[in-house]
Amino acid sequence: MTAGVGTHHPLPPTYLYDSFRIAIESYNITNNPLPVYMSFQYSAALVTLADIDNEVLVKFYTKFLDIEPNPYIPNTYAEFQLPGLRIGIFKPKDSHKAEFANRAKTGMSLCLEVSDIETAIARIWALGYPPAGEIIKASHGLEIYAFDPAGNRIILHQSHDNLE
């Protein structure tokens, strides 16, 4: 089928793509705001985690958060609806598994604001993933770090408002 007027193109025509590529390559993002034509709209944001070990993360977060994923497509995708955040857990396609094979620690953390840090610690400990270290008294409250089965860092945080 030949593309015509009003037909949606998944990618811009080559000449347009080349113009964007040249503009981006010559653009110094550290000193300049992005041009208006590079603006885009978004309606929501979520954190996604790759689960390459037979739904180990889905099982972990189901137990840790004490909620069922919704939507849930077994061995494909699970989503947890939290106040202010959605966590999506997906099984990478075989052609993309290599991207997730190196589980080196990253700067990304899942921070959960909890009402009682001791209860949250007991829960994650009971699942076999005890926090590393002691509770830290930070300027904004108490926090402790733990890791899920895939090595993703979880910060359990209790604000000063919830301290007795």
Side-chain angles (χ1 to χ4, degrees):
M1 179 174 153
T2 306
V5 177
T7 304
H8 173 71
H9 297 283
L11 293 174
T14 304
Y15 67 88
L16 190 56
Y17 174 76
D18 287 342
S19 297
F20 280 124
R21 182 183 52 76
I22 291 166
I24 290 169
E25 287 174 355
S26 63
Y27 186 75
N28 180 350
I29 197 165
T30 58
N31 296 324
N32 300 306
L34 286 173
V36 173
Y37 67 83
M38 290 186 171
S39 295
F40 65 96
Q41 299 293 314
Y42 54 90
S43 61
L46 68 145
V47 172
T48 59
L49 304 173
D51 191 350
I52 59 174
D53 293 325
N54 299 316
E55 296 207 333
V56 169
L57 289 180
V58 174
K59 293 171 189 169
F60 172 81
Y61 282 102
T62 299
K63 290 179 182 176
F64 180 58
L65 300 171
D66 198 26
I67 58 174
E68 293 295 322
N70 183 21
Y72 176 57
I73 304 167
N75 296 305
T76 303
Y77 184 77
E79 188 171 291
F80 296 90
Q81 312 279 333
L82 304 175
L85 176 70
R86 295 178 1 228
I87 301 173
I89 298 177
F90 68 98
K91 179 181 179 183
K93 295 186 181 297
D94 289 340
S95 59
H96 291 276
K97 282 188 178 177
E99 297 172 36
F100 303 99
N102 182 5
R103 293 187 178 182
K105 294 183 174 110
T106 68
M108 181 75 96
S109 298
L110 175 62
C111 184
L112 296 174
E113 179 75 29
V114 299
S115 59
D116 181 358
I117 198 165
E118 297 289 341
T119 302
I121 291 169
R123 186 165 191 89
I124 201 164
W125 194 290
L127 293 172
Y129 296 91
E134 301 293 322
I135 295 174
I136 299 165
K137 291 183 180 182
S139 62
H140 53 275
L142 303 176
E143 60 184 41
I144 194 164
Y145 309 128
F147 295 90
D148 71 15
N152 299 303
R153 186 166 85 156
I154 300 170
I155 301 173
L156 301 174
H157 175 262
Q158 181 177 343
S159 71
H160 285 302
D161 297 340
N162 290 326
L163 295 174
E164 296 170 9

